[in-house]
Amino acid sequence: MLSHIQQEEAKLDAMQRVWQTSRRATTMSFFEDADAERELFALPRQNSCGGLITRGQCASPPPCTPALCADYGQEFNETFQEVKTVQDGTTKRPHRKSTEKPSSLLLDASECGDFPARYIIAPVEAHQFPVCGVYIDNRVIPGFKYRVRPLPAVGEVVKRKHGLPCMFGGRALTLQSIGRGYARRFTFEADENHLNDNDNYFWSDNRPEGYAFELELISEGDKFTIFDANREAQGTLEVVKLEGPQVEISGSMSAHSVEKRVRVKLIAKVEFFETGVAKPTPVTGVAVAIKQARTPHAVVTRVSNVMIKGHRYSLLPGVAKEHRRATVRGADLGDVPTKYTMAGLEACEIPVVGTYVDARVVPGFHYRVRPNDRSERLFDGRTLKLLSIGMGYAKRLTFQPDSLLEPDNYLWSDSHPDGLGLEPRAVHTGMRFAIVTSDGQRLGDASVFRADMAQKEESMERVPSESHPGHYAIEKRIYVDVMCHVRLACMDSEEHLMNICGVAVCRKEPKSNDSYVVRVENIGMDSQLKLLFAYNHTDITFVPIVVK
């Protein structure tokens, strides 16, 4: 009895020295004492069968099976090799075989409550749902959007990064119905120009290799409103690019609806109300979509657990202007230290409320005025030039009058408790421009036909004036999107109606009451001519034609 206790204590002492040494983050060898190593392997151990083994072999009865002893010895040796240190201090670990992806996937339709048919197809990814013959994955439900990718044959090597190309031009379409019978017909939504002759369908047995369905709840171009933990709107978000597949993590079904939760990762143009600047930002979250009974499409209700620059938010679909908030402070302009928070301001509008008049509101430039509590603009929606801004607690904003004898185009900054939104305007209907290349060659003329789209100010700065040395002019850069009649010199008198967008450079010289358009640069047009200019590395500019 005493000898047995001594053996146990000696074994425990040796093992403790080994364990304590292995926990040290030093470059010393594992066994500081060579005697401890010899003692460790000299001591017998008892296996699960009751026998004592040393180095994988039985040492005393009762006997055990050789296979059990060999497995135990191999496990003991591998454990020792994992922690044994070489002379230079590095740790050797045995090479472990990584789990390889299976070469095939067995589908049993009886598991889905269908015919007891079995198929062997190529393996699918974690975000894909297999469909082959009568086997249809239970997660493939009409009303949701899927991207369908044909599967290769078993054992076939596909060099493409994501496998074979997707059907329907790589688009994710809404699944409308799944037919019945041995061969199931999958019908997807039709294209806009082919509502009466829908070609977006196929049968599940058209391809013996099968198909892989990829769920897509959020698509490029979708817009959301950002909310914080207090359910207060903080900004807007527009999806620019999808980063990776959308993996379904859970789903539930009831008698009236089907709900799916999908993990998403994307690049979005995020604009916070406080900054007013939209920047492409990585965004992750979990999208929740619900398909109600007797409704053709599933609807994304929210995106939860959203991470934007290390902060947690939630998203609701759509952008409502009443959520857009702007906080202004009069002390920032050296005025009365008042503070106002305006809700519902458009992205292109400049705030004016109470005693606060934004510094970007400058006499000599043109504006459209809208009370913040309504959609109708003042002055019949016309664009008027601002003549002056009064002084005092409530500033009087005087615009260009219709009659010099009875001027009535004016208002005070505190006339509307909810504030005013002033939209700067640079290009108007009827303006004419000369289309000029970067080397000064004139290509033709353009006349503005419509200028209904909003024009947003991008920047404002003071630049030295060439006509008045020592003084500074005010220069604004305003983004414009207009419709123009374009007549090119190489096409004689033929006119083309084009959508033109660009950045208009407006300037107001010192000691002058009027602003003027210097040029419109960074031109974009919905015409093949843009491709020709880009191919020739030629930039075009619209220069105003002054009518004398």
Side-chain angles (χ1 to χ4, degrees):
M1 183 67 181
L2 181 60
S3 61
H4 179 70
I5 296 176
Q6 291 177 351
Q7 288 182 358
E8 291 295 334
E9 291 180 352
K11 182 175 67 172
L12 179 60
D13 183 62
M15 292 299 296
Q16 286 180 347
R17 278 184 285 175
V18 173
W19 292 337
Q20 294 298 330
T21 307
S22 63
R23 296 175 58 184
R24 300 174 188 171
T26 64
T27 58
M28 299 173 59
S29 63
F30 181 82
F31 294 103
E32 296 180 355
D33 188 1
D35 296 336
E37 180 181 6
R38 291 192 297 269
E39 185 179 4
L40 173 63
F41 289 98
L43 292 175
R45 293 187 62 183
Q46 188 173 5
N47 58 20
S48 59
C49 298
L52 299 177
I53 63 172
T54 58
R55 305 286 292 188
Q57 297 179 355
C58 283
S60 63
C64 62
T65 59
L68 181 60
C69 295
D71 293 341
Y72 185 88
Q74 182 181 1
E75 179 183 358
F76 185 85
N77 294 334
E78 288 180 357
T79 306
F80 171 72
Q81 291 296 334
E82 285 187 0
V83 297
K84 188 172 179 61
T85 309
V86 295
Q87 296 298 329
D88 58 356
T90 59
T91 301
K92 285 187 177 180
R93 293 186 179 272
H95 176 71
R96 297 182 181 270
K97 294 183 179 180
S98 59
T99 57
E100 297 181 356
K101 185 178 179 180
S103 59
S104 63
L105 178 63
L106 176 62
L107 303 179
D108 190 352
S110 62
E111 298 177 355
C112 301
D114 214 310
F115 296 105
R118 293 188 177 186
Y119 307 93
I120 298 178
I121 64 173
V124 298
E125 302 294 337
H127 65 282
Q128 296 176 336
F129 312 140
V131 170
C132 183
V134 297
Y135 181 91
I136 301 174
D137 195 288
N138 294 328
R139 293 168 292 182
V140 179
I141 300 175
F144 291 88
K145 295 177 65 175
Y146 297 94
R147 184 177 285 105
V148 183
R149 188 183 302 276
L151 290 175
V154 177
E156 180 182 346
V157 178
V158 181
K159 296 182 179 180
R160 297 181 179 90
K161 181 179 180 181
H162 300 288
L164 296 176
C166 293
M167 302 174 62
F168 312 127
R171 297 172 299 164
L173 302 179
T174 301
L175 179 61
Q176 292 183 343
S177 63
I178 302 177
R180 297 182 179 182
Y182 186 82
R184 313 295 166 82
R185 169 169 167 158
F186 288 82
T187 304
F188 292 82
E189 60 179 328
D191 300 332
E192 294 182 359
N193 300 328
H194 300 81
L195 297 179
N196 296 326
D197 52 347
N198 184 14
D199 296 332
N200 298 333
Y201 64 88
F202 65 91
W203 277 267
S204 58
D205 63 347
N206 280 1
R207 185 177 177 84
E209 295 82 3
Y211 302 89
F213 281 54
E214 302 175 5
L215 180 63
E216 181 176 302
L217 295 186
I218 296 180
S219 306
E220 295 181 0
D222 292 349
K223 296 182 180 181
F224 299 88
T225 302
I226 305 174
F227 290 85
D228 60 6
N230 297 325
R231 298 183 180 180
E232 294 184 0
Q234 300 297 323
T236 60
L237 180 148
E238 180 179 357
V239 180
V240 177
K241 181 181 178 182
L242 299 177
E243 291 287 314
Q246 302 181 18
V247 183
E248 180 176 342
I249 58 178
S250 66
S252 61
M253 183 180 301
S254 64
H256 303 286
S257 64
V258 178
E259 179 181 305
K260 287 180 177 287
R261 294 175 179 266
V262 174
R263 184 181 295 109
V264 296
K265 183 179 180 182
L266 46 90
I267 301 295
K269 187 168 60 176
V270 179
E271 178 183 355
F272 287 100
F273 297 148
E274 296 295 334
T275 60
V277 179
K279 296 182 178 180
T281 307
V283 179
T284 60
V286 177
V288 181
I290 297 179
K291 164 70 169 60
Q292 297 289 347
R294 299 180 181 179
T295 57
H297 304 283
V299 179
V300 177
T301 57
R302 67 186 184 278
V303 183
S304 58
N305 297 330
V306 178
M307 295 299 296
I308 303 177
K309 295 183 178 180
H311 298 277
R312 190 177 297 275
Y313 300 95
S314 60
L315 305 179
L316 291 182
V319 177
K321 66 179 183 179
E322 59 267 15
H323 292 308
R324 181 178 294 274
R325 295 181 293 106
T327 302
V328 296
R329 298 173 177 83
D332 297 339
L333 305 178
D335 205 339
V336 181
T338 54
K339 177 181 177 180
Y340 304 93
T341 299
M342 302 175 60
L345 200 67
E346 299 286 351
C348 61
E349 294 177 339
I350 302 174
V352 171
V353 55
T355 63
Y356 180 87
V357 178
D358 198 282
R360 293 171 292 179
V361 179
V362 180
F365 291 90
H366 294 77
Y367 299 92
R368 286 198 303 190
V369 185
R370 183 186 67 87
N372 200 32
D373 58 347
R374 69 187 74 166
S375 59
E376 297 80 11
R377 294 182 174 88
L378 300 179
F379 312 125
D380 298 329
R382 294 176 297 166
T383 299
L384 299 179
K385 182 177 68 174
L386 180 62
L387 298 181
S388 63
I389 301 176
M391 302 178 65
Y393 184 83
K395 282 79 173 175
R396 169 170 167 158
L397 280 69
T398 305
F399 293 87
Q400 186 176 3
D402 299 326
S403 174
L404 296 178
L405 299 178
E406 297 180 356
D408 55 357
N409 295 339
Y410 62 87
L411 52 87
W412 278 267
S413 59
D414 62 349
S415 297
H416 299 269
D418 295 327
L420 301 167
L422 274 65
E423 177 192 343
R425 307 287 294 180
V427 178
H428 318 292
T429 302
M431 295 182 66
R432 296 182 58 195
F433 295 89
I435 305 176
V436 182
T437 61
S438 56
D439 55 359
Q441 181 182 0
R442 184 167 179 173
L443 301 179
D445 299 337
S447 176
V448 179
F449 172 63
R450 296 187 63 175
D452 303 331
M453 300 297 292
Q455 302 181 15
K456 183 177 180 180
E457 180 176 330
E458 294 187 350
S459 63
M460 184 183 73
E461 59 181 347
R462 300 175 62 208
V463 296
S465 175
E466 298 178 356
S467 59
H468 298 80
H471 295 78
Y472 290 88
I474 299 177
E475 188 173 278
K476 288 178 176 285
R477 299 175 63 86
I478 301 175
Y479 176 82
V480 298
D481 189 350
V482 295
M483 298 289 295
C484 295
H485 287 293
V486 178
R487 180 187 289 108
L488 299 178
C490 59
M491 296 183 180
D492 298 332
S493 60
E494 184 178 358
E495 285 189 354
H496 299 272
L497 185 62
M498 298 184 185
N499 186 17
I500 307 295
C501 62
V503 178
V505 180
C506 301
R507 180 176 297 178
K508 177 180 176 296
E509 298 291 343
K511 301 180 181 180
S512 175
N513 296 327
D514 298 320
S515 62
Y516 61 94
V517 178
V518 180
R519 64 188 178 276
V520 181
E521 56 189 17
N522 298 335
I523 296 296
M525 58 178 63
D526 59 344
S527 173
Q528 295 181 355
L529 294 174
K530 181 62 179 177
L531 301 178
L532 177 62
F533 296 142
Y535 179 78
N536 296 329
H537 303 283
T538 301
D539 294 332
I540 58 175
T541 305
F542 279 33
V543 179
I545 299 177
V546 180
V547 180
K548 297 182 180 180

